[in-house]
Amino acid sequence: MAFDIEMIKKVYANMPQRVDKARELVGRPLTLSEKILYAHLWEGTPSQAFSRGKDYVDFAPDRVACQDATAQMALLQFMHAGKSKVAVPTTVHCDHLIQAKVGAKTDLAVANSQSKEVFDFLSSVSNKYGIGFWKPGSGIIHQIVLENYAFPGGMMIGTDSHTVNAGGLGMLAIGVGGADAVDVMSGMSWELKFPKLIGVKLTGKLNGWTAPKDVILKVADILTVKGGTGAIVEYFGEGALAMSCTGKGTICNMGAEIGATTSTFGYDDSMRRYLIATGRQDVVDAADQVASYLTADPEVYANPESYFDQLIEINLSELEPHINGPFTPDRGTPVSKMKDEAAKNGWPLKVEWGLIGSCTNSSYEDMSRAVSIVEQAVANNVTPKAEFGINPGSEQIRFTIERDGILAAFEKMGTKVFTNACGPCIGQWDREGADKGEKNTIVHSFNRNFSKRADGNPNTHAFVTSPEMVAALAISGRLDFNPITDTLLNDNGEAIKLNPPVGDELPNRGFDVEDAGYQAPASDGSAVEVVVSPTSERLQLLDPFTPWNGQNITGAKLLIKAFGKCTTDHISMAGPWLRFRGHLDNISNNMLIGAENAFNGKANSVKNQLTGAYDEVPKVQRAYKAAGIPSIVVGDQNYGEGSSREHAAMEPRHLGVSAVLVKSFARIHETNLKKQGMLALTFANEADYDKILEDDTFNFVDLTAFAPGKPLSIEVVHADGSKETILANHSYNEGQIEWFKAGSALNLIAAAGKA
């Protein structure tokens, strides 16, 4: 039986009436995305039609999921909400704090020792508040959600940007910051601007070396890292119907890399097969009763150009395998063009490592297709030229592929099998020699390839591709190897041509596992004590942020003018900093240390306007805070893209930054800044970014009249005494302005709980 089956049945019981009413209000057939949105309104039955990209709407998600790195801060905030139990089904998954180095057994033991304090905290706080807890080694959050919790037509939020993976099972699953999760866990509504809709019609059928991963690599190349911002991407067509459920999950997963709110597919036979294979026949029985409500109305897919704001069509029969990168996931190169592109750009051709896994590609099908390439190499005496590593997506996956001989086949080629965890994908990789900073190439089946993300080396050129292509490129040791046309030399000097990958969508003998790693919470957690040591370096109880004093902010110093790509990795790095995710003051020492200063081209080197000397960003900001001086961060396009980590918003808030002024924001980061009581502003005229000088001071002229739809005027005072006024736009509604006034959204929740 599925987890929370009664909740799922309730969702389905309400869906027909709500969707039918929405269709009447909107006055036309509905997309799947619209059906799920209208079925999850906080008000229940819809009473009005909403405008895409304009109206802020309150929703009631069905569940919440948190990974261990973000769960710490989310649950520390939840403890302030004054609730005895979470209001919706919630889970915590320990997958981020496990470093890949030696191998699964050793690495997991080290993590359990080094992070015992954090794991014990998460276990106890989950036990107290009715939260399901998945232990270290149980698997990656998004794979476990797909295997156990996702269901067609549902809505969930998760404190990780790749929560969107559950779209592979027909959900609207959306990545958020911890403060958003606290709202829902506390029994409050969750606010989202009603998304625009992008339709992707998939014709033809995947064949040969092309995999589901290539669909999203192609879409990323088309839309870029910000092309999906504010939109839901809905996939449909004969190509979608012919694809596996986990393949759909891969496509939805990387929708985070185009900035999309989420991505989804309509309910179909592949989802039925997957639900049954993962022990959820009861979900299939319930979903089949409302199947027509779990996909778009027929008219939508028949004439998609009339229902979507943007339409993309991809012929899967003609789609080539793609290799995206380096340094950004939206730079797509078809495998046939890689030889020329690599030569033109000077990319290192020697592949040093091939890595398979992460939440994006760690399913049974992924592993079985990749191992079919490995088995060919072993059978033909081809020695791999690169090192090779895999991270199974869950203990259920690991146990099943071990039973079926897949793990042994990988190991026969010398593959390192890491823990069922995120590992190298999020920088949790102790890669030997990375500290030397040498220029090199790695290929992986992950979702992100920002500079320094995997191993901390800014000169590592990381390329994203499918698991089967990772296997082929790692075996060949060449980035420009094309398995469709090229041959390999085996140990006998013979030319070997690899056959296209083959694999099973689902295990023929079914999934199996001895201990999945799940801990159910206490039925009554009132007696459970959650202890946080005041001397801990890993955990720190939170103090509420100070409310706004009602006055204009004046005399604010420029902390940094960030140039170019500034992701949440640049604002709050992961890797070794993950150990401080539960200690706001300690982790604030990594604030913006990866951002490039527009004035000197350096990272973590900004001018202290109090001394005139250059120093590390956090040290300069702490000096401003100690002196009682506010500050401003200025940024470029799509500021805060990448992970959902709210630390990137909480750190500047904690250290005294008052506002972030940029050309444009990534959705989650903008919301996170608002939730923490900060000003998230955009240049009304992007060219004003160039007017900002290193010694500038800022005065807010009309913050006391802060109101929805009204730009703010900021007086910029240059070092020579000259002044100019710039306009800053914002997207705050009345409720969000109240967050700012209260000091944070959490302050309002806590106040309401005491009232």
Side-chain angles (χ1 to χ4, degrees):
M1 180 179 287
F3 285 94
D4 310 306
I5 185 62
E6 293 307 315
M7 176 271 285
I8 295 172
K9 288 180 178 178
K10 184 178 179 181
V11 171
Y12 290 157
N14 290 329
M15 203 158 195
Q17 177 192 358
R18 295 181 178 183
V19 171
D20 289 347
K21 184 61 177 178
R23 191 185 293 109
E24 175 188 324
L25 290 166
V26 175
R28 57 166 173 76
L30 297 177
T31 65
L32 167 64
S33 303
E34 290 172 311
K35 289 182 179 181
I36 300 175
L37 289 169
Y38 279 107
H40 286 84
L41 296 178
W42 180 253
E43 65 176 330
T45 302
S47 60
Q48 68 177 102
F50 296 104
S51 297
R52 300 176 190 171
K54 294 181 180 179
D55 292 335
Y56 280 96
V57 182
D58 289 334
F59 292 100
D62 302 313
R63 65 178 314 113
V64 176
C66 309
Q67 40 93 335
D68 49 353
T70 54
Q72 296 170 65
M73 198 59 70
L75 294 178
L76 285 165
Q77 291 178 84
F78 180 75
M79 291 168 67
H80 276 274
K83 306 293 182 179
S84 60
K85 189 175 182 179
V86 292
V88 302
T90 302
T91 51
V92 167
H93 305 257
C94 295
D95 61 359
H96 274 55
L97 299 177
I98 305 167
Q99 189 176 58
K101 183 177 182 179
V102 178
K105 185 176 181 180
T106 300
D107 294 345
L108 181 58
V110 169
N112 277 322
S113 174
Q114 290 181 344
S115 295
K116 183 179 187 302
E117 177 186 16
V118 173
F119 293 147
D120 286 350
F121 165 74
L122 293 174
S123 174
S124 64
V125 77
S126 297
N127 205 24
K128 182 174 182 64
Y129 293 112
I131 298 169
F133 180 72
W134 289 83
K135 303 173 186 177
S138 61
I140 305 172
I141 173 173
H142 310 304
Q143 182 66 33
I144 290 179
V145 165
L146 199 70
E147 291 177 0
N148 296 276
Y149 299 112
F151 65 97
M155 173 186 277
M156 68 173 286
I157 61 171
T159 60
D160 188 285
S161 57
H162 293 105
T163 300
V164 295
N165 188 80
L169 252 176
M171 289 196 90
L172 289 190
I174 302 169
V176 299
D180 276 354
V182 171
D183 283 357
V184 177
M185 289 189 288
S186 300
M188 299 176 65
S189 62
W190 173 65
E191 183 186 70
L192 178 72
K193 184 180 286 188
F194 205 81
K196 294 182 179 181
L197 299 178
I198 298 173
V200 180
K201 182 178 182 179
L202 303 178
T203 62
K205 188 175 181 179
L206 293 171
N207 60 86
W209 282 89
T210 310
K213 183 65 162 279
D214 297 304
V215 175
I216 185 57
L217 294 178
K218 178 65 175 178
V219 170
D221 187 50
I222 294 170
L223 289 178
T224 78
V225 291
K226 63 178 183 177
T229 303
I232 293 175
V233 182
E234 186 171 322
Y235 293 85
F236 62 95
E238 60 178 342
L241 295 174
M243 199 178 294
S244 69
C245 177
T246 52
K248 292 178 171 73
T250 291
I251 292 170
C252 292
N253 181 291
M254 266 196 74
E257 273 52 73
I258 57 173
T261 301
T262 191
S263 304
T264 195
F265 286 78
Y267 180 49
D268 63 10
D269 284 341
S270 73
M271 296 182 191
R272 291 184 179 90
R273 293 192 297 271
Y274 186 76
L275 286 165
I276 293 169
T278 51
R280 290 175 284 174
Q281 178 70 56
D282 47 356
V283 176
V284 173
D285 293 341
D288 282 347
Q289 297 299 311
V290 291
S292 66
Y293 292 92
L294 303 178
T295 189
D297 289 332
E299 298 91 335
V300 172
Y301 294 161
N303 298 286
E305 61 280 350
S306 300
Y307 300 95
F308 293 99
D309 298 294
Q310 183 178 353
L311 183 64
I312 296 170
E313 185 168 335
I314 298 174
N315 186 339
L316 301 186
S317 300
E318 298 174 355
L319 183 64
E320 265 193 80
H322 273 58
I323 305 168
N324 283 30
F327 307 128
T328 186
D330 61 350
R331 182 172 185 169
T333 304
V335 64
S336 64
K337 293 183 171 60
M338 178 53 78
K339 188 185 296 288
D340 292 338
E341 281 295 304
K344 182 172 65 178
N345 291 284
W347 298 334
L349 292 179
K350 182 183 178 184
V351 173
E352 306 280 353
W353 266 91
L355 297 158
I356 293 175
S358 88
C359 60
T360 321
N361 281 109
S362 54
S363 67
Y364 186 90
E365 181 180 41
D366 290 328
M367 295 297 174
S368 66
R369 282 175 61 87
V371 85
S372 73
I373 305 303
V374 168
E375 289 173 330
Q376 290 183 59
V378 172
N380 287 284
N381 297 315
V382 178
T383 301
K385 304 301 187 294
E387 294 190 77
F388 207 65
I390 63 170
N391 286 79
S394 68
E395 175 58 17
Q396 179 169 266
I397 295 292
R398 189 212 62 79
F399 190 94
T400 305
I401 64 174
E402 181 180 46
R403 180 202 67 190
D404 292 352
I406 292 174
L407 213 54
F410 272 121
E411 290 175 327
K412 190 177 292 186
M413 199 183 72
T415 304
K416 278 191 177 182
V417 180
F418 296 122
T419 315
N420 315 318
C422 303
C425 180
I426 57 157
Q428 282 285 59
W429 184 23
D430 189 357
R431 182 185 179 189
E432 186 177 349
D435 56 336
K436 297 177 183 177
E438 294 174 343
K439 188 176 180 180
N440 74 102
T441 284
I442 65 173
V443 293
H444 60 57
S445 69
F446 308 158
N447 39 51
R448 294 197 173 128
N449 56 348
F450 303 142
S451 174
K452 298 186 281 189
R453 181 173 174 90
D455 62 4
N457 177 4
N459 296 313
T460 292
H461 292 54
F463 292 86
V464 183
T465 189
S466 67
E468 39 271 75
M469 282 296 296
V470 169
L473 296 177
I475 290 167
S476 73
R478 297 277 300 183
L479 180 64
D480 59 355
F481 175 70
N482 183 351
I484 301 172
T485 58
D486 299 346
T487 58
L488 297 169
L489 285 181
N490 69 4
D491 297 344
N492 302 322
E494 300 165 328
I496 302 297
K497 182 80 159 43
L498 294 173
N499 294 319
V502 293
D504 295 320
E505 173 186 329
L506 296 163
N508 293 323
R509 296 164 56 192
F511 286 107
D512 201 1
V513 67
E514 288 183 351
D515 178 9
Y518 175 69
Q519 170 188 293
S523 55
D524 179 2
S526 58
V528 177
E529 185 177 7
V530 180
V531 178
V532 175
S533 169
T535 60
S536 172
E537 292 185 348
R538 300 286 301 271
L539 297 165
Q540 179 188 45
L541 294 175
L542 297 175
D543 292 322
F545 290 133
T546 305
W548 178 48
N549 62 11
Q551 300 175 8
N552 283 322
I553 298 169
T554 59
K557 301 296 185 184
L558 176 69
L559 174 62
I560 185 173
K561 179 179 174 180
F563 176 76
K565 187 183 284 287
C566 190
T567 71
T568 49
D569 275 16
H570 295 91
I571 305 168
S572 176
M573 288 185 176
W577 290 96
L578 283 172
R579 67 184 185 276
F580 296 128
R581 283 284 181 86
H583 197 294
L584 182 55
D585 193 58
N586 282 347
I587 198 169
S588 292
N589 288 322
N590 79 357
M591 185 191 73
L592 284 158
I593 64 175
E596 180 182 336
N597 183 352
F599 299 109
N600 60 14
K602 296 180 180 179
N604 205 21
S605 175
V606 295
K607 190 174 185 178
N608 183 334
Q609 293 194 43
L610 303 180
T611 65
Y614 285 84
D615 209 335
E616 298 172 1
V617 181
K619 288 184 178 179
V620 172
Q621 181 54 39
R622 287 185 186 275
Y624 292 155
K625 181 179 181 179
I629 298 173
S631 64
I632 285 182
V633 169
V634 172
D636 213 321
Q637 295 279 9
N638 207 33
Y639 183 88
E641 73 172 270
S643 169
S644 69
R645 69 190 66 154
E646 66 182 337
H647 298 78
M650 295 187 77
E651 292 173 31
R653 180 72 170 101
H654 172 66
L655 292 184
V657 176
S658 296
V660 179
L661 175 62
V662 302
K663 292 181 181 178
S664 64
F665 282 108
R667 175 190 63 85
I668 299 177
H669 187 62
E670 181 181 20
T671 300
N672 286 345
L673 289 169
K674 291 179 178 180
K675 286 278 186 175
Q676 301 306 330
M678 290 188 68
L679 291 172
L681 309 172
T682 56
F683 290 101
N685 179 3
E686 289 187 3
D688 286 345
Y689 170 90
D690 298 322
K691 295 179 180 179
I692 307 302
L693 304 179
E694 193 169 26
D695 296 304
D696 282 348
T697 299
F698 301 83
N699 299 315
F700 284 76
V701 176
D702 52 4
L703 185 58
T704 52
F706 194 15
K710 181 183 177 183
L712 292 173
S713 298
I714 305 174
E715 181 184 67
V716 183
V717 183
H718 301 306
D720 63 3
S722 62
K723 302 176 182 180
E724 52 189 316
T725 299
I726 64 174
L727 283 181
N729 291 333
H730 66 83
S731 60
Y732 287 76
N733 58 30
E734 291 181 359
Q736 294 169 346
I737 290 175
E738 291 304 310
W739 300 344
F740 169 73
K741 291 179 178 179
S744 71
L746 182 59
N747 286 356
L748 283 182
I749 295 175
K754 295 174 183 177

